[in-house]
Structure formats: structure tokens, C-alpha cells
Amino acid sequence: MSTAAARRLEPSPRLPDLDAVLPGLTQAFAATAGRHDREASFPFANFQALHEAGLLVLTAPARLGGLESDLPTALKVVSAVARGEPATALVLVMQYLFHASVEGRSGWPEHLKQRVIGDAIDHGALINALRVEPDLGTPARGGLPATIARRTPEGWRISGRKIYSTGSSALTWFVVWARSDDAEPLVGGWLVRADSPGVVIEETWDHLGLRASASHDVVFEDVLVPLDHALDPQPPGAPPPYSAVFGTWSSVLTAAIYDAVARSARDWLADFLISRKPANLGASLSTLPRFQEALGEIDGLLLSNRVLLDSAARGDTAAGESGLVKHLVTENAITVVEKALKLTGNPGLTRANPLERHHRDVLCGRVHTPQADVVLTGAGKLAFASRETVA
């Protein structure tokens, strides 16, 4: 009997008591976050803890042994993880997005779905897409990848370089965005095991924020993969191989990372203002109306974030508005941390204090697709189009 068949005969896994499990994970991840940031080291222990808690397959299909949890549940987990260590949360988001969408991806052969999810269940295997390239930049803005997949009698041979490959050091599976060597090339993802001969990880990641994400360069030197590992490549410009719901999941979970960073910054600020008692005041800074008002403004921004994220996760916003949700939540999060820095001055910028790290981390929220100019231009076009329709 195959492993996948045997797994289907086992009792379905149960979602752990998140209210009991998540606070401990947040606390444990926060305890080592500063060290991983300073060293730019990957938090392998965090993923072992997530694996042991059964949370690496939170969104994987139930028929393949996963928990098949919904977006509000994934949001709750990602937020708790990011409160502890946001780079861990970013890698986890990539895992959740692939697992949640794997059933709807027509190009995935059944045996590969079983293998990828089975590896996650049995070994804590991680998966992510490798898309960005040195000359192309983000593929969301168009263009063909320079990474080439050559069709040979023994399989595909893949050659190219990917940058900003989040989680590279810990991934078991890469979905490599490439183009075939046909006269009229096909574009799509090729599934590659990270330990395949010819895969080289160059440790280039030395970033301002999310320094623990191991977003190194990955080089593919004539890497051989089976023919069925081409995940339904399509002509350039074809619709993406996933539904519009994927965009909502991506926007909500990505934005949740940076909202969580801002909440950590807010809590540090509140504690700082309570404990700080200048000699000339004779009381804590938290007694001054100026700081009370400022913390109230911060909590107002975070309340807006919570309402936006929860509403989008429940499906109460239109699918086309998910990009706006990501943009607004991210900008609110950045504003929160900047306000905290303005209030604290030198202590907030001291490396010994986590606020300085939170500031560097939260700025990374602007990098993720969809980016602000695309979101706002698209929203503006829709607004004008709706008025023209009414007229």
C-alpha cells in the first residue's frame, strides 16, 4: 500500500486548540527573534515547533491529510507567529498559500500533490515559489523569465538564477518560474526538489528587514526534473493557474504579518512609557496627555487594521478590494511604528530595543505584491469606470 493510500485510512487530523498553543509559540519565537535578526540566521527551531504542533499543514486539503482550515483560522495563526518573529510568518504564509490552492491548480499531477503534502505532514517540508530574477525584477509587472527549462529525453533541464528566494535554506520544494525552450515558449512553474544535483544556494541575503528569512539567491545549473514536474506551463499572458480567491488569501495573510509587527511595536511603546519616569516629571510618561493621545491614535490605526483584515478574511469585501486591504493595513502598520519611534527618540532607535527591529521589518511590507502604485491605479480606474457606467 502506498504512503498516500495508508494516510487516507488514518483518522483525520484535528486542529489543535489554538488559544492554548499560539501564545507559547509567540513567546518562544520572540525570545530568539533579536538573535536571528542580528545574525541573519534562519529560525529552523521555529519550524520544528510549528511542525510538532501540526500547523505546517493547516491549509492543506483534508483528503491529503491536511487540516483544510479556512482563511480566518490561517489569519489567526499567521498573526500569532508574526508577533513572535515575522520572517517565520512570511515563510509560513508561502506554505499556506500553496497548500490552500493546490486542489485548484490543474497542472499539478495527483501524485505530486500527494508527495508535497505528504512530505509536509511527515517531515515538515516547506514549499515556495521562486520567481524574481536579477534582470526581470518582480514578474508581476510583466516580462519573460530568463530561467530556461529545456526538454530532453530524460526530463527537463533547468538553468537560471532566482533572487529574493524566501526561506531558501529550509525549503524542500521550489516552484521555479521559467520558460520552455520551444520556438514559442511556454511559461509556468516547474517543481524542483531543493536537494537536486545542480541546485546551488548562494547566501546573498543582507537586508534591512526580515533578515532571518534566508531570501538568498538560488542558482540552477542544468538541473534535471521529470517531465511531469512541469506544472501546466501556458503561453505568455495566459490567466494565472489559480482562482481570484488566491489573491484575497495572499493579501490578507501578507498584510497580517506587518500588522502583527506594528502590534508588537505598540506593546513595547506602551511598556516603555509606563516604565520611563524622568526625574523632572516624578511620574511615568504614560501619565501625560500627549502620550495618552498618541497611544490612542495608534490603537485607532490598529483597530482599523483588525476590522479590515477580519472583514476580508470572512469574505465581506469584494475580491477586487483585497489589494486595497493589503495596502491600507501595511501603511497603517508603518505609520504605527513611525509614531512609536517619534515618541521615544533615541531609545527607540537603539539596537538593544526591539522597536528599531520592528521599524526595519515593517518597511518590508511595501515590497510585496500587489504594490501601492498598482493597487491605487487599479482602484482609481474601477472608480472612474463605475461612474461612467452610471452616467
Side-chain angles (χ1 to χ4, degrees):
M1 181 181 296
S2 69
T3 302
R7 187 176 289 113
R8 286 195 292 270
L9 296 176
E10 296 175 354
S12 299
R14 298 182 62 182
L15 182 69
D17 182 348
L18 296 181
D19 291 332
V21 171
L22 291 179
L25 292 176
T26 300
Q27 184 177 13
F29 296 172
T32 58
R35 173 173 61 81
H36 287 300
D37 173 77
R38 289 189 301 274
E39 299 173 353
S41 56
F42 191 81
F44 288 99
N46 292 1
F47 288 92
Q48 181 61 35
L50 289 167
H51 177 45
E52 292 172 357
L55 294 177
L56 290 186
V57 291
L58 183 76
T59 65
R63 73 174 187 86
L64 298 176
L67 295 171
E68 202 169 326
S69 295
D70 58 12
L71 180 52
T73 304
L75 171 61
K76 182 174 184 175
V77 174
V78 167
S79 296
V81 172
R83 286 293 297 268
E85 204 290 297
T88 301
L90 180 60
V91 177
L92 188 64
V93 166
M94 301 300 108
Q95 177 96 335
Y96 285 175
L97 292 177
F98 270 94
H99 285 184
S101 63
V102 71
E103 291 286 53
R105 293 176 181 250
S106 59
W108 283 71
E110 176 64 19
H111 74 95
L112 290 183
K113 294 179 183 180
Q114 293 177 358
R115 187 175 180 192
V116 167
I117 302 302
D119 275 355
I121 294 168
D122 297 337
H123 310 297
L126 301 173
I127 186 171
N128 194 10
L130 275 54
R131 293 174 60 85
V132 186
E133 296 182 347
D135 295 330
L136 181 65
T138 173
R141 297 186 181 264
L144 291 176
T147 301
I148 301 294
R150 293 186 298 105
R151 199 189 317 262
T152 70
E154 67 270 22
W156 295 96
R157 292 281 183 177
I158 299 175
S159 297
R161 174 184 289 268
K162 297 296 180 180
I163 61 176
Y164 306 145
S165 304
T166 299
S168 60
S169 303
L171 299 177
T172 297
W173 295 102
F174 303 139
V175 179
V176 182
W177 194 59
R179 57 172 165 158
S180 69
D181 62 342
D182 301 309
E184 296 183 2
L186 301 175
V187 178
W190 274 257
L191 185 64
V192 180
R193 274 193 64 94
D195 58 1
S196 300
V199 174
V200 178
I201 296 176
E202 296 183 358
E203 296 188 358
T204 55
W205 183 245
D206 186 13
H207 211 256
L208 178 75
L210 295 186
R211 290 175 50 77
S213 67
S215 301
H216 301 304
D217 288 13
V218 181
V219 181
F220 299 88
E221 300 174 345
D222 208 31
V223 177
L224 177 65
V225 299
L227 289 173
D228 65 358
H229 282 44
L231 306 177
D232 196 21
Q234 300 291 323
Y242 43 80
S243 69
V245 175
F246 180 88
T248 300
W249 277 65
S250 178
S251 291
V252 167
L253 296 183
T254 302
I257 298 170
Y258 300 100
D259 172 69
V261 172
R263 291 177 187 276
S264 295
R266 179 264 184 207
D267 288 352
W268 182 88
L269 171 67
D271 290 343
F272 172 82
L273 294 177
I274 291 170
S275 62
R276 184 76 164 176
K277 297 178 180 179
N280 62 339
L281 180 62
S284 68
L285 293 177
S286 63
T287 64
L288 296 179
R290 171 196 169 200
F291 293 108
Q292 294 166 355
E293 179 184 9
L295 193 60
E297 290 178 355
I298 284 173
D299 281 357
L301 291 167
L302 293 175
L303 173 61
S304 297
N305 278 4
R306 178 166 59 81
V307 171
L308 284 168
L309 289 171
D310 288 348
S311 177
R314 290 193 306 266
D316 295 341
T317 55
E321 295 174 335
S322 62
L324 274 175
V325 171
K326 182 263 179 184
H327 168 70
L328 292 169
V329 169
T330 299
E331 290 302 317
N332 283 349
I334 292 171
T335 300
V336 163
V337 183
E338 289 178 340
K339 284 181 176 293
L341 282 173
K342 185 176 181 180
L343 290 167
T344 57
N346 275 333
L349 289 172
T350 301
R351 286 191 181 273
N353 294 326
L355 187 58
E356 181 268 347
R357 168 166 49 87
H358 297 328
H359 184 226
R360 289 185 285 103
D361 285 341
V362 80
L363 292 175
C364 295
R366 289 173 171 158
V367 173
H368 301 291
T369 302
Q371 293 163 345
D373 62 322
V374 174
V375 169
L376 297 176
T377 299
K381 287 180 178 178
L382 285 175
F384 284 127
S386 66
R387 296 307 302 164
E388 291 169 357
T389 302
V390 171

